[in-house]
Amino acid sequence: MNLLLDSIAKHVDLTQEEQKIVLAAFESDRYSAKEKVLVEGEICYSSTFVLSGILRNYCIDEQAVEHTVGFATTGWWIADMYSFLSQLPGNSYIEVVEDTMVLKITRATQLKLFDEVPKMERYFRILIERSLVANQQRLMDNLSLPADERYERFCERYSTIKNCLPQKQIASYLGITPEFFSKLKKRLLTAK
């Protein structure tokens, strides 16, 4: 719980009373590796804050190819944002990469929290703005950078978990095949 309060404190100052209200709004949960937290077509009822472990958000195309949208690790948030905000069925999956402990908040509880602790609306706005900027940069990178540079940026962004992830998932995030990714890594190691 302190990790959540530390994350919030980076953006807004809460009083002791506000901290108690915020903590009461969250439920804790734990998931086992390979468990599906969300499946395409389900409603994403909760936004999830990771206390430990790794979660992956991805979608599957018509050819049954997985496309990794992103990962969330300690101190990060994850949700199918379209589904969470609209409370309509989503189009992505959230899967547990390694055993994970989380805090979850439902959309209804989040909206109530905004009324009770208005600073939390600012906190989530800041997170969404940063996420928007990061996603725009990733889109531009995917459109304009070669795979080796995209991999370097991936390593910077996910430096703490890059060695914990299956190569297939990293390749999926980079938009390349696992075979090409294996050749890319071999080429990069040889170049060093």
Side-chain angles (χ1 to χ4, degrees):
M1 295 278 199
N2 284 342
L3 186 61
L4 175 61
L5 292 177
D6 290 345
S7 174
I8 295 167
K10 291 176 184 172
H11 306 291
V12 296
D13 292 324
L14 299 178
T15 66
Q16 293 273 358
E17 186 58 34
E18 289 170 331
Q19 289 179 13
K20 288 178 188 173
I21 294 168
V22 167
L23 292 179
F26 286 84
E27 279 183 31
S28 63
D29 209 343
R30 49 176 80 223
Y31 300 110
S32 299
K34 299 188 181 183
E35 189 175 342
K36 297 265 192 301
V37 176
L38 182 70
V39 175
E40 178 183 21
E42 293 180 348
I43 295 173
C44 183
Y45 290 107
S46 298
S47 185
T48 302
F49 182 79
V50 181
L51 294 172
S52 65
I54 305 169
L55 296 170
R56 174 176 75 116
N57 180 240
Y58 66 97
C59 62
I60 300 176
D61 69 19
E62 292 176 2
Q63 288 75 39
V65 176
E66 292 181 5
H67 302 278
T68 299
V69 176
F71 300 94
T73 187
T74 303
W76 291 36
W77 288 88
I78 193 167
D80 177 324
M81 288 306 291
Y82 164 76
S83 179
F84 179 71
L85 295 174
S86 69
Q87 290 297 279
L88 295 172
N91 56 10
S92 69
Y93 296 78
I94 297 177
E95 177 183 56
V96 181
V97 176
E98 66 179 35
D99 292 354
T100 303
M101 291 182 57
V102 301
L103 295 174
K104 302 185 303 187
I105 187 167
T106 66
R107 181 65 173 153
T109 303
Q110 185 187 49
L111 292 172
K112 184 179 174 204
L113 184 61
F114 292 165
D115 290 334
E116 293 176 0
V117 184
K119 294 173 193 172
M120 290 303 292
E121 191 164 16
R122 176 179 164 77
Y123 168 71
F124 280 106
R125 179 186 52 79
I126 291 167
L127 293 183
I128 289 172
E129 287 173 351
R130 288 180 176 206
S131 176
L132 180 63
V133 169
N135 285 328
Q136 183 179 6
Q137 185 61 55
R138 178 166 178 228
L139 177 61
M140 290 188 302
D141 290 350
N142 284 350
L143 293 171
S144 63
L145 295 178
D148 57 340
E149 289 183 44
R150 291 196 314 267
Y151 179 57
E152 286 174 22
R153 298 230 173 144
F154 168 85
C155 290
E156 290 169 12
R157 179 173 176 127
Y158 294 108
S159 62
T160 60
I161 63 169
K162 66 181 181 187
N163 296 324
C164 303
L165 300 171
Q167 289 195 22
K168 179 181 175 182
Q169 292 178 4
I170 297 172
S172 169
Y173 179 88
L174 297 173
I176 58 179
T177 65
E179 296 78 18
F180 183 79
F181 180 59
S182 183
K183 291 175 186 173
L184 173 72
K185 278 187 72 177
K186 185 176 181 179
R187 189 179 75 228
L188 292 173
L189 287 172
T190 305
K192 288 184 178 184

